[in-house]
Amino acid sequence: MKNSLISRYLRLFFTGFGMGAADIVPGVSGGTIAFILGIYQELIDSIKITSGKALQLALKFKIKEAWNTVPFGFLIPLALGLFTAIFSLSGLLSYWLEEYPVYVWGFFFGLVVASIWIVQKRIKKWQASHMLTLSLFTGLAYLIVSVTPFETAPTYLNFFLSGVIAICAMILPGISGSFLLLIMGKYQQILAAVTEKDFVTLFVFMIGCIIGLAVFSRVLSWMFKHYHDSTIAGLSGFMIGS
């Protein structure tokens, strides 16, 4: 029993490590790695529980019940792996992207292409509706990553909305949150807010991220529960299109 727990924690740590490494690379989503390694649905459900039932219990001052509700055994090793990769690999991957871009992009491209074959096997029975969903989401992803960047006004409402959109993209396989920030003209503005220690702007952006994550995780969880095969087809389409 103990060995199986250690094995699970190590697997989650290295999965988080892979997600963090993917998030460092512009245009690559950590959600893709979660999807490939088979923890995507559990991740969505864990976010839903933490931002839903656990938060409600905490607001009622039922701290012990809230604490016991949060799936720490899943989230902690995953988060440790993710942040370990971000802090340990950011410099190395930046160097590789500058010196050996073809090899880095080739690695992630091959990873995504191979994963499409693995993921589509999760659909129990292919139907015409699934093929249509796959085609639509493939086209949607391709359109998103082909959009020419534009500038948006640096208002608090725009920072809030960009947080909502970016975090939703980060948990979707194939779509990069930082890439969407770049498209919306918010990437440099967020970096400037960090540099200038503009905590009000960063707070508004983080509130958008939190609300977007809480709402979108519920949408995805509901879709997995009621339309599992169609959801898998749509997410596969995102990966193909991106």
Side-chain angles (χ1 to χ4, degrees):
M1 182 67 176
K2 185 177 180 181
N3 289 336
S4 63
L5 276 176
I6 292 175
S7 177
R8 171 174 164 78
Y9 292 152
L10 285 174
R11 180 174 178 272
L12 287 171
F13 175 85
F14 285 111
T15 298
F17 193 89
M19 292 173 65
D23 280 326
I24 295 171
V25 180
V28 181
S29 168
T32 303
I33 305 300
F35 201 51
I36 293 169
L37 297 180
I39 65 144
Y40 190 77
Q41 191 167 348
E42 187 175 0
L43 174 62
I44 297 302
D45 290 339
S46 297
I47 294 171
K48 176 187 173 184
I49 291 170
T50 303
S51 61
K53 185 178 180 181
L55 182 60
Q56 291 173 5
L57 289 169
L59 292 175
K60 294 177 181 177
F61 299 102
K62 296 180 179 180
I63 306 301
K64 185 177 180 180
E65 291 91 333
W67 181 269
N68 292 332
T69 301
V70 178
F72 287 111
F74 173 81
L75 292 174
I76 289 178
L78 193 71
L80 284 174
L82 193 149
F83 286 111
T84 298
I86 290 174
F87 287 112
S88 65
L89 295 181
S90 56
L92 183 61
L93 275 175
S94 296
Y95 170 77
W96 283 349
L97 277 170
E98 185 174 340
E99 298 294 328
Y100 311 104
V102 174
Y103 295 105
V104 175
W105 287 113
F107 171 76
F108 281 103
F109 180 78
L111 192 66
V112 172
V113 170
S115 69
I116 292 167
W117 172 254
I118 297 171
V119 169
Q120 60 87 26
K121 291 182 179 180
R122 299 183 190 178
I123 297 179
K124 299 169 185 177
K125 184 179 179 181
W126 280 94
Q127 299 177 1
S129 60
H130 300 148
M131 293 301 298
L132 178 61
T133 302
L134 179 75
S135 301
L136 288 174
F137 278 86
T138 298
L140 178 61
Y142 183 80
L143 286 174
I144 290 173
V145 298
S146 302
V147 170
T148 303
F150 57 90
E151 196 71 27
T152 55
T155 64
Y156 289 134
L157 176 60
N158 284 339
F159 279 114
F160 172 81
L161 293 175
S162 65
V164 172
I165 295 170
I167 201 65
C168 291
M170 287 184 73
I171 60 175
L172 278 173
I175 304 294
S176 167
S178 58
F179 182 74
L180 288 190
L181 285 177
L182 194 64
I183 288 175
M184 295 183 290
K186 284 287 173 286
Y187 189 78
Q188 292 297 333
Q189 293 176 9
I190 293 295
L191 286 182
V194 173
T195 304
E196 298 167 7
K197 296 181 174 59
D198 184 356
F199 295 115
V200 175
T201 296
L202 294 175
F203 177 75
V204 172
F205 178 75
M206 287 303 300
I207 291 296
C209 290
I210 292 170
I211 292 177
L213 192 61
V215 173
F216 196 56
S217 64
R218 281 162 174 72
V219 173
L220 282 175
S221 180
W222 183 85
M223 289 175 67
F224 269 117
K225 184 177 180 180
H226 295 90
Y227 302 100
H228 179 271
D229 287 357
S230 294
T231 303
I232 294 293
L235 294 176
S236 298
F238 262 118
M239 295 169 68
I240 295 170
S242 66

